[in-house]
């Protein structure tokens, strides 16, 4: 294949035909970068009435939850710009609707009555503008999958939590969705049982938990053991984020609060690594070289993955040499963040160490493995 030196906005005719094929393949190609989380700007809650007062109250609560989800950190709620936005939360609404449910709630008169679900959708553009203008971070849709090795300890019985059919699993899943984290439970089949014991979780054995998690191709893990107490629940947790290990020991009156605390701690730490903080207008230039691409599908998946990365503000394919491609990127935030995001792509493996040339362009080298 020829090696055009012109930007892809003005390609040679032969290369243009290849790009057309790339677009067609990309339309159906799945990116390997993390998990694309949908519904980040939606909030829902059960309501006992359809009053305007209830909707206004929940609009404020919903906007706060969505802002935390998009910024990645609960600390943004204390920012003056965010507090001002919460005072006019309904101005950020783009859609609201009610759905009937089978649940009941206690009304203001103390009587049980059928509950509706209020679903609020907020303006993505409006919140993006709020975060940018306030200089606050923004976390995109592509987020690392989190694996949950969790044991419920009830007296002499220890039970693995394998999904939302367990009350603890349902709360973990709900709180993960609240923070915009894709959560996964292990299969707990014979392979898992041989790889990791409840005792290893109880002892917070980092090496054993990391080893068992490799089967699932993840390096973002929550491991914990939850025990009922006279005052509620105790949770002993280990949060693993790409080599960083954080231990938490918490008491809470409810599983709601207990799971909210651990998922919140995990989300805050992950966002510190992946969320992009607006720059002063200056962008960092990066030369990204990737070798061993073999098919049009490989090119398409890579192209689509780069286009969705939050730090990447401009991407230009500048060279193609056999199975090697070179992209010229302009990114917001640090090169370290881009490297962390590239590490989430299971098909990419870092080659030479990152280096900065005399023109202040960072040079990154990777090998693609299908």
């Amino acid at each position: 294949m020829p090696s055009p030196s012109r930007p892809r906005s003005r390609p040679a005719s032969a290369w243009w035909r290849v790009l057309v094929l790339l677009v067609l393949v990309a339309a159906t190609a799945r990116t390997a970068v993390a998990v694309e989380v949908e519904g980040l700007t939606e909030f829902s809650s059960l309501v006992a009435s359809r009053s305007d007062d209830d909707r206004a109250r929940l609009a404020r609560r919903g906007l706060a939850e969505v802002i935390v989800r998009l910024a990645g950190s609960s600390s943004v709620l204390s920012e003056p710009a965010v507090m001002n936005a919460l005072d006019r939360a309904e101005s950020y609404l783009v859609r609201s609707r009610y759905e009937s449910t089978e649940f009941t709630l206690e009304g203001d008169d103390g009587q049980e009555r059928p509950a509706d679900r209020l679903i609020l959708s907020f303006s993505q553009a409006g919140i993006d503008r709020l975060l940018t203008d306030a200089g606050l971070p923004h976390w995109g849709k592509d987020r690392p999958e989190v694996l949950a090795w969790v044991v419920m300890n009830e007296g002499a019985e220890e039970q693995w939590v394998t999904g939302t059919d367990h009350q603890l699993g349902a709360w973990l899943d709900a709180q993960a969705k609240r923070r915009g984290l894709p959560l996964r439970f292990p299969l707990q089949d014979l392979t898992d049982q041989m790889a990791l014991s409840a005792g290893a979780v109880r002892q917070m054995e980092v090496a054993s938990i990391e080893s068992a998690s490799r089967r699932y191709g993840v390096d973002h893990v929550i491991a914990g053991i939850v025990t009922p107490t006279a005052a509620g629940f105790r949770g002993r947790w280990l949060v693993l984020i790409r080599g960083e290990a954080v231990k938490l020991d918490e008491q809470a009156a409810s599983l709601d609060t207990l799971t909210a605390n651990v998922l919140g701690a995990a989300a805050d730490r992950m966002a510190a690594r992946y969320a992009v903080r607006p720059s002063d207008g200056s962008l960092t230039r990066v030369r990204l070289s990737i070798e061993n691409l073999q098919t049009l599908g490989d090119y398409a998946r890579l192209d689509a993955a780069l286009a969705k990365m939050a730090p990447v503000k401009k991407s230009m394919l500048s060279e193609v040499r056999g199975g090697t491609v070179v992209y010229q990127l302009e990114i917001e935030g640090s090169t370290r963040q881009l490297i962390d995001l590239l590490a989430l792509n299971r098909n990419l493996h870092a080659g030479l160490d990152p280096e900065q040339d005399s023109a202040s362009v960072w040079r990154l080298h990777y090998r693609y493995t299908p």
Side-chain angles (χ1 to χ4, degrees):
M1 186 178 294
S3 303
S5 58
R6 289 179 293 236
R8 63 175 156 180
S9 57
R10 293 180 295 163
S13 58
W15 182 234
W16 175 255
R17 289 195 295 272
V18 174
L19 284 178
V20 171
L21 286 173
L22 287 184
V23 171
L24 293 175
V25 175
T28 56
R30 288 184 62 193
T31 176
V33 178
V35 174
E36 185 171 335
V37 182
E38 299 294 343
L40 291 176
T41 58
E42 283 196 355
F43 168 84
S44 68
S45 177
L46 293 178
V47 293
S49 76
R50 297 190 176 189
S51 71
D52 292 341
D53 287 345
D54 278 352
R55 196 184 86 139
R57 174 179 56 82
L58 287 173
R60 182 184 176 92
R61 176 179 148 199
L63 180 61
E65 184 172 307
V66 168
I67 288 174
V68 168
R69 197 182 295 154
L70 292 180
S73 172
S74 54
S75 65
V76 299
L77 294 179
S78 62
E79 294 287 338
V82 173
M83 291 191 289
N84 180 56
L86 294 178
D87 288 338
R88 46 190 181 84
E90 288 187 283
S91 68
Y92 286 86
L93 276 175
V94 293
R95 192 178 308 107
S96 65
R97 70 180 190 276
Y98 292 92
E99 292 180 353
S100 300
T101 74
E102 298 178 355
F103 301 102
T104 61
L105 285 176
E106 185 178 294
D108 294 336
D109 56 4
Q111 300 297 313
E112 288 287 323
R113 62 188 63 207
D116 292 321
R117 183 175 299 279
L118 173 61
I119 302 172
L120 304 176
S121 298
F122 294 91
S123 168
Q124 176 85 56
I127 298 173
D128 286 348
R129 187 164 52 252
L130 167 66
L131 296 176
T132 299
D133 291 347
L136 298 174
H138 184 275
W139 198 3
K141 287 184 178 181
D142 283 339
R143 304 189 174 193
E145 188 172 52
V146 179
L147 184 66
W149 298 96
V150 182
V151 177
M152 189 71 180
N153 178 25
E154 297 183 283
E157 182 181 357
E158 291 183 329
Q159 181 182 1
W160 284 102
V161 176
T162 58
T164 56
D165 54 337
H166 191 287
Q167 183 185 18
L168 177 54
W171 276 115
L172 286 165
D173 184 68
Q175 297 297 350
K177 286 184 170 64
R178 185 181 177 197
R179 291 302 299 262
L181 295 181
L183 188 70
R184 180 179 186 181
F185 294 95
L187 298 172
Q188 279 305 327
D189 55 10
L190 183 59
T191 300
D192 283 345
Q193 293 168 26
M194 293 178 65
L196 189 66
S197 67
V201 173
R202 190 185 311 107
Q203 297 301 319
M204 301 290 158
E205 296 178 6
V206 174
S208 298
I209 294 167
E210 287 180 331
S211 177
S213 301
R214 291 193 190 103
R215 174 190 185 188
Y216 296 92
V218 301
D219 48 15
H220 298 73
V221 179
I222 293 173
I225 185 160
V226 175
T227 306
T229 67
F233 298 91
R234 179 190 181 190
R236 296 179 59 245
W237 305 100
L238 178 67
V239 179
L240 300 175
I241 301 174
R242 299 198 62 217
E244 175 191 4
V246 178
K247 293 182 180 180
L248 304 171
D249 192 340
E250 297 186 333
Q251 303 272 355
S254 67
L255 288 176
D256 181 359
T257 302
L258 192 76
T259 54
N261 290 344
V262 67
L263 268 303
D268 284 352
R269 284 172 168 81
M270 291 168 66
R273 190 180 283 263
Y274 300 113
V276 177
R277 187 175 291 273
S279 67
D280 57 3
S282 61
L283 298 175
T284 301
R285 292 184 295 160
V286 175
R287 183 182 187 273
L288 175 63
S289 174
I290 302 172
E291 63 179 28
N292 198 43
L293 289 111
Q294 300 175 6
T295 69
L296 284 176
D298 295 340
Y299 286 98
R301 280 184 284 273
L302 176 61
D303 207 58
L306 288 175
K308 292 198 302 178
M309 286 187 183
V312 178
K313 299 306 174 186
K314 184 177 180 181
S315 170
M316 183 175 69
L317 182 61
S318 63
E319 296 180 39
V320 179
R321 302 187 304 272
T324 298
V325 297
V326 176
Y327 284 89
Q328 304 294 339
L329 308 177
E330 291 185 5
I331 67 169
E332 193 171 45
S334 69
T335 308
R336 179 74 259 168
Q337 282 184 311
L338 178 65
I339 292 171
D340 284 340
L341 285 169
L342 290 170
L344 296 177
N345 190 315
R346 299 171 189 171
N347 302 112
L348 293 179
H349 304 275
L352 301 175
D353 290 337
E355 57 183 356
Q356 196 172 25
D357 64 20
S358 58
S360 298
V361 176
W362 280 96
R363 293 175 174 264
L364 307 182
H365 307 271
Y366 287 81
R367 180 176 180 82
Y368 186 91
T369 303

